[in-house]
Amino acid sequence: MSRIPRDPTERPARGAGKKQLRAAQAAPAQKETIIHGAVPPRDVLMRFIAENPQQASKREIAKAFGLKGEARVELKALLRSLEEDGLVEKKRKSLVRPGALPPVTVLDITIRDIDGELIGRPAEWLDDDGVAPAVLIRQSAVGKAKGKVPVAGLGDRVLAKIFPAKERGGPAYTARIIKVLDKRKDAVLGVFRATPGGGGRLLPIDKRGEEVLVDPEFTAEAKDGDLVEVHLARLGRYGLPRAQVQTVIGSVASEKAISMIAIHAHGIPHIFPERVLQEADAADAATMAHREDWRSLPLVTIDPADAKDHDDAVHAEPDPSPDNPGGVIVTVAIADVSWYVRPKSALDFEALKRGNSVYFPDRVVPMLPERISNDLCSLKEGVDRPALAVRMRFSKEGRKAGHTFHRIMMRSAAKLSYQQAQAAIDGAPDEKTGPLLEPILKPLWEGYRILSRGRERRQPLELDMPERKIILKPDGTVDRVLVPERLDAHRLIEEMMIQANVAAAETLEQKRQALIYRVHDQPSLAKQETLREFLATLDISLAKGGNMRANHFNGVLARADDQPYETMVNEMVLRSQSQAIYSPENIGHFGLNLMRYAHFTSPIRRYADLVVHRALVSALGLGEGGLTPQEEGVLDDIAAEISTFERRAMAAERDTVDRLIAHHLNGRVGEEFDGRVSGVTKAGLFVTLPAYGADGFIPISTLGRDYFIYDEAHQALSGEKTGLGYRLGDPVRVKLAEAVPLAGALRFEMLSEGRKMPTAMRSFHKSGRRDRVNAGKRPGTRPPRGRR
């Protein structure tokens, strides 16, 4: 349900805050006397924040403990101290413990505890340093919750309200189910293992899954090692369930099965229900009702050469207004998906269930059926297509002078690839781009030049982290891994889309229309401090304070430019950043350095953009397909769900790449490779093979006979006796010791001796300020006396 802003003059409910205070006072661990009206001790304050994640703003804390006047000033100082120490983080307007679950979370119900209670875990967990916390699912109403309470079971995915657990010794959280998002499907994916005498077992691809028995008459001729889909025939509370093989997908030795593993492992809907397909097939072409005729405007699409859908088109021309000399008019037209996908339709339910399209090297799992995404809503060359367009005016300095939105009918003048458009600008036009060069392409590049001035002034975060692309052979096996060249054509489209997204957010705010923002919080103080300590080892400084800007990090990146540690610094800056999410509450976009930002430009593949389109249609009175009051009332839930689905897609894509590379290298165990240290932990080193984009692990127990010490500030493991070690970003030579394709895991052995650690680091070690927690025992090596 959506949150309703509280009127500052509204009096709090009777007893609100006092119950919380009494709970804090009654906690058994608290031995100090808590005086109402006095600032509480740190431990009491920390417990209150942990137990009241939705009521931990400074105002609510002061109210709960009865603080006024000077006591509020003292509270502010104490809270600032807790933030600087990394004990709490500020999220939106409330303080939370680092790593705490948000008050509303999507959970996967995975197991039952010994009492038969359901246990869930967050569907996507962003904290790379730990295991996702367990959550006890309460199947009955909590507090004063009214109405029918949804009932869930093992394997279900639910949207749940999170509460800190009151009892110790069990899960840290309890949850009340708000809505069941996905019921457990009867179709389960796994690897078939034949057993003597016929039949077999299904080994789950999900680490949290359980084995399933397959009787001999239900194997469907599956062979040992086949990836299969089964139908669960009997589910009991005790013993293994039995299943019937429905589909033999193929041997797990085939790369073509790899993306299906990720699809099922992450619960990504990949088969459109018949009702959805029928609705898509029955859709008629859009009419001119409530539309302006822009078919004569030479808008063009510029996309990857292999793109099958085209949802954005662009145009630029000099601004003829005498009030804007040297200015430019940039037009961005986006496919009008809201015309075809209406609220409460089968298409809409399925699109929300998917949240976004998911892209794998061998396939795409689309958010919408091909009839919509690749046909009716694809801005095909020379074909009439409905669109929402924004016309933006910029001064010659790149400052926006104004913008307007229009619902139009357009006809793309040309479909171009990035390489094709760039080649024309660089002096090598082909038969298609030659006639377009002067009237269309050169004005576009002039518009981009002007927008770039505004971008330079805005100073967004400029990370240099090239993305690798896997190229497959016709048989689905890995051919090569490459880093596509970054062209000005890419940057042109990117900047024009950013400006269109900003315009959408600004218009909806001006109209006081509810919407879903794309928000990106600044890095937490704890992560800032970790980065600051690391940069200090390179003699690079980072400003302190809670009001960081993206250009502070750009200064750090500039200092590292062309240095041996450039990649290492880029990675550490990236790790310090928060996760961008969707939210109906605006906190701005830190990375882009924008006050307001909403995704508008990809409604074919992102549900958030479809919501923004509907909001624009409603706010501007542009006809049918607008946002309904019912949708406005659940924007909080929608934002939470699509944020989770986005992380789900990213994890599935990453897992698929890992499995593909592990499969590709499976036959090369024992070979040597050049790598780079990409991660340093207490347990060992992560090493990336740049030629493949693959990551593998080297356990600390295999590094050598020295006693290796983890140095977090320097991001290094260093030998105490030899002074030799390994640091983030170091080039190393490794041998592939093991590849596990099904898990996408690689294990390496270190061949490089390691480098001499700087004197400053060794002095740092001798001072005793290091992490003394080491990995498991190493043969022939014992910790020095006093450290056992």
Side-chain angles (χ1 to χ4, degrees):
M1 297 177 62
S2 61
R3 285 189 282 268
I4 302 174
R6 177 181 291 179
D7 186 337
T9 63
E10 180 186 352
R11 183 174 180 177
R14 184 175 300 175
K18 293 182 180 179
K19 290 182 180 179
Q20 298 153 355
L21 179 58
R22 284 198 296 269
Q25 291 171 326
Q30 177 60 30
K31 296 181 179 179
E32 301 178 58
T33 302
I34 303 172
I35 303 172
H36 191 68
V39 176
R42 283 168 66 103
D43 59 339
V44 174
L45 190 55
M46 291 289 293
R47 190 162 60 251
F48 178 87
I49 291 171
E51 294 174 354
N52 301 278
Q54 285 187 298
Q55 294 178 297
S57 65
K58 283 183 283 189
R59 179 168 177 255
E60 293 287 351
I61 293 172
K63 186 185 302 180
F65 290 95
L67 306 182
K68 298 179 181 179
E70 289 297 322
R72 287 199 173 211
V73 177
E74 188 179 344
L75 172 67
K76 185 177 180 181
L78 178 56
L79 292 175
R80 187 184 302 114
S81 172
L82 292 175
E83 282 192 79
E84 291 173 352
D85 290 344
L87 297 176
V88 298
E89 294 177 355
K90 191 169 185 179
K91 288 190 177 180
R92 298 185 185 175
K93 297 181 181 180
S94 293
L95 295 163
V96 298
R97 296 292 296 269
L101 289 180
V104 177
T105 301
V106 176
L107 302 174
D108 285 330
I109 302 177
T110 56
I111 59 173
R112 291 184 185 271
D113 64 13
I114 58 174
D115 298 321
E117 298 284 357
L118 295 172
I119 302 294
R121 294 187 185 275
E124 300 293 342
W125 181 240
L126 300 180
D127 188 351
D128 295 330
D129 299 327
V131 178
V135 182
L136 178 65
I137 309 295
R138 298 293 189 189
Q139 290 279 37
S140 58
V142 176
K144 297 182 179 180
K146 296 180 179 179
K148 185 178 179 181
V149 178
V151 177
L154 277 175
D156 290 351
R157 173 164 288 182
V158 300
L159 186 69
K161 182 83 170 175
I162 304 299
F163 304 90
K166 295 180 180 179
E167 300 176 4
R168 298 183 180 182
Y173 300 93
T174 61
R176 173 172 57 82
I177 298 172
I178 299 173
K179 179 169 63 173
V180 177
L181 302 178
D182 274 320
K183 297 294 290 183
R184 174 174 51 189
K185 305 295 187 299
D186 285 343
V188 175
L189 191 76
V191 179
F192 179 78
R193 292 299 181 193
T195 56
R201 290 193 174 202
L202 188 77
L203 301 183
I205 56 167
D206 187 344
K207 294 178 181 178
R208 296 180 244 173
E210 60 179 342
E211 289 189 13
V212 177
L213 294 176
V214 181
D215 292 326
E217 63 270 28
F218 296 130
T219 62
E221 300 183 355
K223 298 179 179 63
D224 188 74
D226 277 350
L227 185 69
V228 298
E229 258 188 343
V230 302
H231 172 79
L232 296 179
R234 181 179 65 79
L235 290 173
R237 183 164 182 176
Y238 304 103
L240 294 180
R242 295 183 180 273
Q244 179 178 349
V245 175
Q246 297 290 306
T247 307
V248 179
I249 297 172
S251 171
V252 291
S254 166
E255 274 91 343
K256 292 182 178 179
I258 298 298
S259 57
M260 282 302 297
I261 292 176
I263 286 169
H264 282 261
H266 291 275
I268 295 173
H270 66 289
I271 299 174
F272 286 106
E274 189 61 31
R275 181 184 172 196
V276 174
L277 295 175
Q278 290 174 356
E279 192 173 282
D281 291 339
D284 294 325
T287 67
M288 288 298 298
H290 296 92
R291 295 189 188 279
E292 301 173 44
D293 191 345
W294 284 24
R295 286 174 287 189
S296 62
L297 186 70
L299 290 150
V300 297
T301 62
I302 305 178
D303 292 295
D306 57 354
K308 294 182 179 179
D309 56 63
H310 310 276
D311 55 5
D312 58 82
V314 293
H315 179 266
E317 60 185 343
D319 189 350
S321 173
D323 298 333
N324 189 25
V328 66
I329 297 176
V330 173
T331 300
V332 174
I334 306 298
D336 188 0
V337 179
S338 64
W339 177 263
Y340 294 104
V341 183
R342 301 296 179 89
K344 295 187 176 181
S345 65
L347 279 167
D348 184 48
F349 282 124
E350 186 67 17
L352 176 56
K353 180 180 172 183
R354 295 177 179 228
N356 48 253
S357 298
V358 188
Y359 295 85
F360 299 105
D362 65 333
R363 74 180 75 207
V364 176
V365 178
M367 185 180 80
L368 297 168
E370 287 190 10
R371 166 70 172 154
I372 302 295
S373 60
N374 293 3
D375 185 7
L376 293 176
C377 287
S378 186
L379 306 181
K380 297 182 177 181
E381 179 179 336
V383 180
D384 291 1
R385 285 291 181 259
L388 281 183
V390 56
R391 179 171 281 168
M392 301 172 285
R393 296 175 59 242
F394 294 90
S395 70
K396 62 181 179 181
E397 293 84 14
R399 300 181 187 276
K400 191 168 68 174
H403 68 264
T404 54
F405 278 90
H406 309 262
R407 204 171 198 182
I408 67 169
M409 186 67 74
M410 60 162 283
R411 183 181 297 159
S412 172
K415 180 186 79 169
L416 305 175
S417 70
Y418 289 114
Q419 293 75 16
Q420 196 177 14
Q422 189 67 55
I425 289 294
D426 292 342
D430 57 22
E431 293 182 359
K432 187 170 189 176
T433 56
L436 304 176
L437 185 58
E438 293 295 332
I440 296 176
L441 294 180
K442 284 189 176 180
L444 270 175
W445 255 257
E446 175 60 20
Y448 167 60
R449 186 177 65 82
I450 289 175
L451 292 185
S452 296
R453 293 172 183 163
R455 180 184 177 90
E456 290 169 6
R457 185 170 52 252
R458 192 175 81 240
Q459 283 283 296
L461 185 60
E462 299 284 4
L463 281 167
D464 183 16
M465 301 297 293
E467 294 186 10
R468 287 175 172 79
K469 183 175 182 179
I470 293 182
I471 306 299
L472 301 179
K473 298 176 184 177
D475 63 357
T477 60
V478 176
D479 181 16
R480 64 191 187 279
V481 181
L482 54 83
V483 178
E485 184 182 2
R486 178 83 166 151
L487 306 172
D488 279 345
H490 293 101
R491 299 184 181 95
L492 179 151
I493 295 299
E494 179 183 277
E495 190 59 29
M496 290 185 177
M497 296 305 113
I498 288 173
Q499 293 301 328
N501 289 336
V502 171
E506 290 177 345
T507 293
L508 293 173
E509 275 197 1
Q510 290 166 2
K511 294 293 183 178
R512 299 185 181 278
Q513 170 66 56
L515 73 148
I516 292 178
Y517 294 91
R518 180 66 167 179
V519 299
H520 182 219
D521 206 353
Q522 66 176 350
S524 68
L525 291 174
K527 288 186 176 181
Q528 288 182 39
E529 190 55 37
T530 298
L531 177 63
R532 192 173 292 110
E533 289 179 1
F534 166 74
L535 293 174
T537 69
L538 302 173
D539 293 325
I540 299 176
S541 61
L542 177 66
K544 283 193 173 186
N547 192 26
M548 294 290 289
R549 301 289 292 272
N551 60 357
H552 290 121
F553 293 96
N554 288 338
V556 167
L557 298 172
R559 287 280 304 277
D561 196 29
D562 292 329
Q563 297 297 321
Y565 46 76
E566 178 182 3
T567 300
M568 174 172 51
V569 170
N570 271 268
E571 287 182 349
M572 287 299 291
V573 170
L574 177 62
R575 292 180 189 184
S576 72
Q577 301 304 304
S578 302
Q579 175 80 35
I581 61 171
Y582 295 107
S583 171
E585 296 179 13
N586 185 30
I587 60 170
H589 197 294
F590 178 82
L592 294 175
N593 199 13
L594 293 168
M595 294 295 293
R596 50 193 63 84
Y597 190 67
H599 274 167
F600 158 75
T601 53
S602 293
I604 286 177
R605 63 184 180 91
R606 292 188 305 225
Y607 194 82
D609 304 55
L610 175 57
V611 172
V612 169
H613 274 234
R614 289 173 176 168
L616 287 166
V617 169
S618 295
L620 300 175
L622 298 179
E624 300 176 27
L627 196 67
T628 66
Q630 291 78 12
E631 283 183 287
E632 286 190 32
V634 294
L635 286 184
D636 264 338
D637 290 352
I638 292 174
E641 289 180 39
I642 61 179
S643 294
T644 299
F645 297 158
E646 178 187 46
R647 295 192 293 272
R648 176 182 69 183
M650 292 169 60
E653 291 165 2
R654 182 176 62 246
D655 288 354
T656 298
V657 169
D658 289 345
R659 289 188 175 104
L660 280 169
I661 297 298
H663 193 284
H664 182 56
L665 296 177
N666 192 33
R668 303 181 64 179
V669 172
E671 292 188 29
E672 298 180 7
F673 300 89
D674 289 320
R676 178 176 53 80
V677 177
S678 57
V680 182
T681 72
K682 301 173 186 178
L685 301 171
F686 287 96
V687 173
T688 295
L689 306 184
Y692 298 94
D695 291 301
F697 188 64
I698 302 178
I700 196 172
S701 59
T702 66
L703 281 178
R705 298 179 65 85
D706 204 346
Y707 182 73
F708 283 88
I709 298 168
Y710 172 56
D711 188 335
E712 183 178 10
H714 294 81
Q715 284 293 292
L717 287 176
S718 55
E720 186 169 57
K721 294 180 180 179
T722 63
L724 299 177
Y726 308 91
R727 195 175 186 188
L728 186 70
D730 281 353
V732 292
R733 187 75 175 168
V734 297
K735 181 172 75 174
L736 180 59
E738 183 182 12
V740 186
L742 202 60
L746 300 174
R747 182 172 62 82
F748 297 125
E749 291 179 3
M750 181 65 75
L751 299 179
S752 298
E753 185 179 22
R755 64 182 173 116
K756 200 74 174 176
M757 292 292 109
T759 304
M761 287 182 63
R762 298 202 298 275
S763 300
F764 180 87
H765 290 163
K766 291 177 181 178
S767 71
R769 292 178 295 136
R770 62 196 175 203
D771 196 323
R772 295 178 182 270
V773 179
N774 276 261
K777 300 176 181 178
R778 290 173 289 286
T781 305
R782 291 196 304 171
R785 188 178 300 276
R787 297 183 191 154
R788 299 179 188 173

